[in-house]
Amino acid sequence: EYWVRHVRESVRFADAVGTLVDEGVSTFVEVGPGGTLSALGQETAPDAVFVPVLRGDRPEAVAATTAVGRLHVRGAEVNWEAFLAGRGARRVDLPTYAFQRERFWLDTPVAARSGVERTSPGEARFWEVVEEGDIADLARTLGVSADDPLSAVLPSLSAWRRKQRDRSTADGWRYRVDWRPVALDGRRLAGAWLVVAAAGEERAEWVGDALTRNGADVRVLHVDPRAGGWTDRSADLSVVDGVVSLLGLADADASTVPTGVAATLALQRALGEADVPLWSVTSGAVSVDGGDTAVGFEQSMLWGLGRVAALEQPSRWGGLIDLPETPEAPDGTAWDRETGDLLASVLAAGTGGEDQVALRGGRVLGRRLVPAPVGEVSEAGWSPHGTVLVTGGTGALGAHVARWLAGKGADHLLLTSRRGPAAEGADELSAELTALGARVTIAACDVADRDTLAGVLASVPAEFPLTAVVHAAGIERSAVLADLDPDDLTEFADVLAAKADGARNLHELLADTPLDAFVLFSSIAGVWGSSGQGAYAAANAYLDGLAEHRRAAGLPATAVAWGPWGGGGMVATDAQAARLRRWGLGTMAPDVAVAALATALDRGDGNIVVADVDWPRFAGTFTAQRPSALLSELPDARDL
C-alpha cells in the first residue's frame, strides 16, 4: 500500500522538511548512497544543515568519517567510543599551561588561499627597522653605507624589495611529500588473484600466502622478466580479479631501462583491455622519514611510472606498495605475517582508497602532498665558489641558473650540453656570464656517457676545485603507456638516459668529492604524474629517490621537483602556457623560480616541490576519473 501511494500521490518532501524545521530540527542526516536529498532539502531550508553519510565520489570510510565530524561540530552527540572501537585510538592529554611554547594546531595558508599578498618575515623585519629609525641596521640590510645619499640607496632598496617579493611568491609555491598513518576498513579479499614475479623470487610465495590467508584464490606465476614469458598466457591474466606484480624487485642490469620497469610495461601490455587492477610492489624504493634509507631507490622509477598509469588507465591500475627493504620475519627470509596482512588490506581497499603506500613497522603509511612555507630565511645563505658544474647549462633553465650563479659570485662556471659551444646562443651566454665576473667553460658532453663525463670532470682547473653540481639536463618525449612497444623502448630509454643515467654517473663519479651542493632538477611529473609522460615521470622520480638516498648516506643533495618555467625550456610557446593555465598550472617567472632555488639551498632542503598551482582547477581535472589521497591534505584541493 505504501509503495502504491508513493507512486500515485505527491511526494511532499518540502512540506515534510518545513514541518520538521518548525518543530525545531536544524540538522538532517541523509542515510543513503548519495547526497540527493540533502541538496533538495537545502533549497527548502537554507538555514538548516544537511549531512549525507555517503557520497558517490568518495571512499565510504572518508565520507562517513567526514559526516560524523560535521555532526560533532554542529553539537550532535556522537558515540566516539563506538566509532573508534578497534581503530587503535587512545586519549591523550592536551597542554594546560597557557604559555607553553609548543603548537598543537594545524597551520593553514589562509593568506595564500584568499589571494592576499603575504609579507615575508624578512620584509616585516625591514619595516620594523624603518619604524625604529635604526640607520646602521637599515644600511646593513640593504648592503649600503650609512653615509650614502638617497640616490645611491634607492636602487639597492628597489633590488631588495624585488628580492623579497620574489621569495615571498616562491614561498607560496613550495610543497613537500609526507607520509601519514592511515586506517583501512579491514575488509577481506575476494576472487582470483595472480602474483607475477621474476623466476627465483622467493618473496612471491610469501605474498601468495598472505593473499590466500586473507580470502583470495591465488596463483603465483614465475616468469623471465627479460623475456616477457607471460605473453603467451594472456588468457590467464584476463580472468583474474587483480594482479600483484613483484617484477619491480628483479635485479636491474646495465641497461638504461631497468629490468623491473621494462617487465612492468610488458605486463601492462599483456593485460590488454582487461579491466583488472595491477598493483606494483617495490622494496625500499621510497623513504618515509629521515631514518628510512631508500636502499632500493633504483626502483623509484616504477613509482613515477605508476603515477602516470593511474591517470592514463584509472580503472586498470591498482597502485604502488613499498615493502620494508629489510626482512622483518624472525628467520630473515621474508617479511612478517602482520606485514602480509597489511598488504592484503591495501589490496582489498581497492583504488578508491590509498594507492601510494609504504608498509613500515606494522603500519600503512599513505603518501601526501602538503604545503611547505619556509618563513624566515638567513640573508647570508648559500654562496657558490670554486667551480660549479651545470649540466644542460646552455638550455633555457641552465642558462637562468648560470646567470644567478655568476651574480652570486661563482668563480668558474662549467656548462655542459650535448652540443656544447655549438649550441644556439652559447657564445652570447658566455659573454654575458663573463661580464658578470665569472670564468666560463662550455663543454660538449652527454652526461649519460660516463667516460665523457669523467673526462670533463677531470678538466676542472686545480685553482677552482669543483664545489657544486646542478643537474638540469633533460629531454621530453610524449607517449601514452598503451602505445609503448615493450620490445622497442628506444625513445623511453633516451628520456631516462638524460635524467637518470646522468644523475647516476654524477653520483658515482663524485662520490669521494667534497661538495657544498648537489642539485637535481626534477619535475612535478615525477611527484603526481602527467599523462603521456611515463618515461619523464619515471626519470624524475628516480632523481627524487637518489636525493633521498644521498642524504641518508650523509651526502649533500637537493632535488627540486619543478612546475613549468616560463622564459623557454619545455614550455616554449604561449599556446603551451595557455593550455597549462587551463589545467591549473601557471608558468613560473624565471627570477621567482631562481629565488625558490636559492631558498632551498639556503635551508638545505632535501626534496621540495616548487609549482604555481591553481588547486581548485587542477584538482578538479586531476581527480575527474579517480580520487587522489595524495592531494587530500591540500586545503584548496581538499575543499572540492
Side-chain angles (χ1 to χ4, degrees):
E1 287 185 27
Y2 168 79
W3 287 113
V4 170
R5 287 192 294 106
H6 188 79
V7 171
R8 290 181 174 178
E9 300 176 7
S10 299
V11 179
R12 301 175 60 187
F13 178 72
D15 292 341
V17 171
T19 299
L20 289 169
V21 170
D22 292 341
E23 294 291 333
V25 175
S26 60
T27 303
F28 293 79
V29 181
E30 179 177 356
V31 181
T36 302
L37 298 181
S38 294
L40 293 172
Q42 199 71 62
E43 295 179 5
T44 303
D47 294 332
V49 172
F50 292 80
V51 181
V53 173
L54 299 178
R55 301 293 294 271
D57 60 345
R58 301 176 192 175
E60 291 184 2
V62 173
T65 303
T66 302
V68 171
R70 289 188 62 191
L71 292 168
H72 175 66
V73 299
R74 285 284 300 174
E77 183 177 349
V78 176
N79 186 340
W80 289 110
E81 288 75 13
F83 178 78
L84 296 172
R87 297 172 182 263
R90 60 185 178 84
R91 291 186 179 273
V92 296
D93 292 330
L94 291 178
T96 56
Y97 178 52
F99 304 104
Q100 184 73 35
R101 292 183 177 274
E102 185 174 357
R103 292 174 56 82
F104 283 76
W105 317 116
L106 295 175
D107 289 317
T108 302
V110 177
R113 297 181 66 189
S114 61
V116 179
E117 183 177 356
R118 297 178 298 170
T119 299
S120 69
E123 195 169 358
R125 173 57 185 154
F126 169 80
W127 291 115
E128 287 179 7
V129 172
V130 171
E131 291 176 359
E132 293 168 359
D134 191 333
I135 295 177
D137 199 355
L138 181 62
R140 283 194 299 271
T141 299
L142 297 178
V144 299
S145 168
D147 299 326
D148 283 346
L150 185 60
S151 59
V153 173
L154 186 58
S156 297
L157 178 59
S158 177
W160 184 90
R161 166 60 177 160
R162 286 195 300 273
K163 177 182 177 182
Q164 293 299 316
R165 183 184 60 213
D166 288 349
R167 286 210 166 188
S168 180
T169 300
D171 191 34
W173 294 348
R174 286 172 49 94
Y175 304 89
R176 69 174 186 272
V177 171
D178 277 354
W179 294 84
R180 300 283 195 256
V182 296
L184 301 177
D185 55 16
R187 72 180 71 177
R188 289 174 59 81
L189 285 167
W193 282 75
L194 182 67
V195 178
V196 183
E201 176 56 71
E202 296 179 354
R203 290 168 288 191
E205 302 301 331
W206 173 82
V207 172
D209 290 343
L211 272 57
T212 300
R213 186 170 61 248
N214 284 274
D217 179 12
V218 179
R219 179 189 172 194
V220 177
L221 177 64
H222 289 277
V223 301
D224 180 353
R226 295 171 181 82
W230 56 86
T231 54
D232 59 348
R233 301 184 177 95
S234 56
D236 295 334
L237 302 177
S238 64
V239 296
V240 298
D241 296 288
V243 179
V244 180
S245 169
L246 274 63
L247 296 172
L249 302 176
D251 292 334
D253 51 27
S255 61
T256 297
V257 183
T259 300
V261 172
T264 301
L265 287 170
L267 178 56
Q268 284 182 297
R269 179 111 169 184
L271 286 170
E273 296 300 319
D275 194 15
V276 178
L278 170 62
W279 291 81
S280 183
V281 174
T282 58
S283 176
V286 297
S287 174
V288 300
D289 56 41
D292 210 18
T293 58
V295 175
F297 74 95
E298 294 277 356
Q299 302 168 39
S300 58
M301 285 189 188
L302 276 173
W303 281 66
L305 188 72
R307 291 164 195 146
V308 174
L311 295 173
E312 294 183 2
Q313 304 168 355
S315 64
R316 292 191 287 129
W317 179 256
L320 298 152
I321 304 174
D322 193 66
L323 301 174
E325 193 278 332
T326 303
E328 296 186 349
D331 60 2
T333 57
W335 298 280
D336 60 11
R337 183 184 180 94
E338 182 182 20
T339 303
D341 292 340
L342 290 176
L343 170 64
S345 67
V346 173
L347 299 176
T351 57
E354 300 287 340
D355 63 358
Q356 297 181 50
V357 303
L359 308 183
R360 298 289 191 275
R363 298 186 301 169
V364 177
L365 303 177
R367 190 168 176 267
R368 299 289 186 271
L369 189 69
V370 298
V374 296
E376 186 64 74
V377 177
S378 168
E379 288 296 324
W382 175 82
S383 294
H385 62 97
T387 294
V388 180
L389 167 65
V390 182
T391 71
T394 60
L397 272 60
H400 289 307
V401 172
R403 295 185 187 99
W404 171 67
L405 291 168
K408 288 273 287 182
D411 300 306
H412 177 220
L413 292 175
L414 174 55
L415 311 181
T416 67
S417 64
R418 292 189 177 187
R419 298 181 61 197
E424 183 179 355
D427 291 340
E428 293 81 354
L429 177 61
S430 179
E432 183 182 355
L433 299 176
T434 300
L436 290 172
R439 177 177 170 179
V440 181
T441 301
I442 298 180
C445 174
D446 180 355
V447 290
D449 186 329
R450 184 185 179 96
D451 292 338
T452 303
L453 177 59
V456 169
L457 295 175
S459 72
V460 173
E463 65 268 33
F464 299 125
L466 185 68
T467 61
V469 171
V470 179
H471 181 39
I475 61 174
E476 182 183 11
R477 299 282 189 274
S478 295
V480 296
L481 298 177
D483 292 342
L484 291 177
D485 181 357
D487 296 325
D488 184 7
L489 296 175
T490 303
E491 291 192 355
F492 195 96
D494 288 343
V495 176
L496 292 185
K499 284 277 189 181
D501 283 0
R504 183 186 300 110
N505 289 339
L506 289 167
H507 165 62
E508 294 175 353
L509 291 172
L510 298 174
D512 297 325
T513 302
L515 298 174
D516 296 336
F518 188 93
V519 182
L520 299 167
F521 268 37
S522 178
S523 167
I524 56 174
V527 175
W528 57 65
S530 179
S531 294
Q533 293 187 329
Y536 194 63
N540 285 289
Y542 174 86
L543 263 57
D544 295 336
L546 175 60
E548 292 176 341
H549 177 73
R550 282 182 60 90
R551 290 179 73 86
L555 299 173
T558 298
V560 184
W562 294 107
W565 283 48
M570 293 181 181
V571 184
T573 67
D574 291 340
Q576 290 174 319
R579 184 168 64 252
L580 289 171
R581 283 196 299 273
R582 289 195 296 271
W583 293 341
L585 289 173
T587 52
M588 300 179 294
D591 289 347
V592 184
V594 167
L597 176 60
T599 297
L601 288 170
D602 289 347
R603 287 175 46 84
D605 285 326
N607 291 65
I608 197 73
V609 180
V610 178
D612 180 13
V613 186
D614 178 351
W615 285 111
R617 174 174 294 184
F618 177 82
T621 302
F622 188 80
T623 60
Q625 299 186 67
R626 179 183 175 116
S628 174
L630 174 68
L631 307 184
S632 63
E633 292 191 21
L634 295 171
D636 288 340
R638 186 176 57 206
D639 291 343
L640 295 177

